[in-house]
Amino acid sequence: MASNQMASQAMLTECHVENGQTKVLRLSDGTQVRLNAGSSLFYPQRFNRFFSRRDVYLDGEAHFDVAKNSSQPFIVHVGNLKVKVLGTHFNVKAEELVTTTLEQGKVKVYEDKIAMTLLPDEQAVYNRISGKMTKRSVDSGKYNQWMNGKLLFDQTPLKVIIADLQRRYNVSIKATPAVDLSQQFTMAFRADEGIDDVMKVLTKISGNLDYIHQQHTITLH
């Protein structure tokens, strides 16, 4: 998305969170947004009460606690995909796959050709490349653990794990060509565990990986 152009044209404010950090943002309607590391939110300084809806634009991952306003739905835009709510708690993670996880309330996830309604403990996964979207039942509490500083991976591909670790710990992780980035891992880490703790567990359970950590760069081989 042409984020800067979009922000200037729509007179939106950008809140960007650097890698290794998180940030809590309160919007003018009382909605609370917690942005994960490496994420950006574009939003108006004040929602216009004469508009039919409240629009914000997300790049990355965020948890939303939306203030109720039945006459003015809250819309989260992630590229072509939209998440529409009246008042609820949910998490959106936008990468190649856009994952929307509902904790409380009700949301509609939609784009031009497909739409799904989520109830609590349901998750919609949208593939930006194929345009396909699937829905499944989940434990929604697992998908907001990052707000408490925890890391949780549940049958997560190594490619996604690496991207999350780079944002969380503000490091560069490079994998040699021989590393299979599609292999999946299930791991959980406390807030006080560092990147070396994570890499030691990852390489141990993989059985065929090792790593070298030099300054801010990690090489996985």
Side-chain angles (χ1 to χ4, degrees):
M1 102 176 71
S3 300
N4 294 333
Q5 183 180 5
M6 175 189 66
S8 62
Q9 289 180 349
M11 297 181 66
L12 300 177
T13 298
E14 178 184 5
C15 178
H16 176 70
V17 181
E18 299 293 339
N19 287 344
Q21 304 177 21
T22 63
K23 185 173 184 178
V24 177
L25 182 67
R26 184 171 292 275
L27 306 184
S28 65
D29 63 341
T31 292
Q32 181 171 290
V33 184
R34 184 183 290 268
L35 284 165
N36 204 352
S39 302
S40 296
L41 186 75
F42 298 84
Y43 63 98
Q45 282 284 4
R46 181 165 294 279
F47 291 109
N48 191 322
R49 63 189 179 91
F50 297 109
F51 286 5
S52 62
R53 62 192 199 183
R54 296 166 285 168
D55 294 282
V56 299
Y57 300 80
L58 174 66
D59 183 8
E61 182 172 17
H63 181 275
F64 294 85
D65 182 354
V66 177
K68 290 184 179 180
N69 184 343
S70 58
S71 63
Q72 199 176 35
F74 190 95
I75 311 287
V76 180
H77 298 255
V78 183
N80 294 329
L81 192 73
K82 302 175 184 68
V83 182
K84 178 181 179 180
V85 303
L86 296 177
T88 190
H89 299 236
F90 63 101
N91 196 84
V92 180
K93 184 175 184 179
E95 296 179 324
E96 180 179 313
L97 298 178
V98 181
T99 305
T100 304
T101 309
L102 182 63
E103 300 165 18
Q104 178 182 320
K106 192 180 195 179
V107 302
K108 179 182 179 182
V109 184
Y110 63 101
E111 53 105 68
D112 292 341
K113 299 179 181 179
I114 192 169
M116 286 184 177
T117 299
L118 298 184
L119 298 176
D121 286 327
E122 288 187 337
Q123 181 181 82
V125 180
Y126 172 75
N127 189 311
R128 294 191 200 227
I129 297 175
S130 68
K132 294 181 179 179
M133 183 157 52
T134 58
K135 181 167 68 172
R136 62 176 182 167
S137 297
V138 298
D139 178 357
S140 61
K142 291 183 178 180
Y143 292 86
N144 63 17
Q145 291 299 304
W146 63 268
M147 296 195 299
N148 300 317
K150 298 178 181 178
L151 276 173
L152 178 64
F153 301 110
D154 185 8
Q155 288 298 298
T156 305
L158 182 57
K159 179 180 178 180
V160 176
I161 292 175
I162 288 175
D164 284 354
L165 294 179
Q166 289 184 129
R167 287 190 292 267
R168 166 66 181 274
Y169 293 106
N170 193 21
V171 295
S172 173
I173 302 178
K174 301 175 181 179
T176 61
V179 175
D180 179 8
L181 296 177
S182 66
Q183 57 186 310
Q184 300 179 342
F185 296 93
T186 296
M187 307 179 292
F189 300 94
R190 302 185 308 272
D192 60 352
E193 293 185 276
I195 183 63
D196 282 299
D197 297 313
V198 177
M199 296 306 297
K200 287 175 183 176
V201 171
L202 173 63
T203 53
K204 183 176 181 179
I205 65 176
S206 72
N208 64 345
L209 294 175
D210 203 353
Y211 78 101
I212 300 172
H213 188 177
Q214 295 177 315
Q215 297 182 331
H216 294 292
T217 300
I218 291 173
T219 303
L220 190 62
H221 59 88

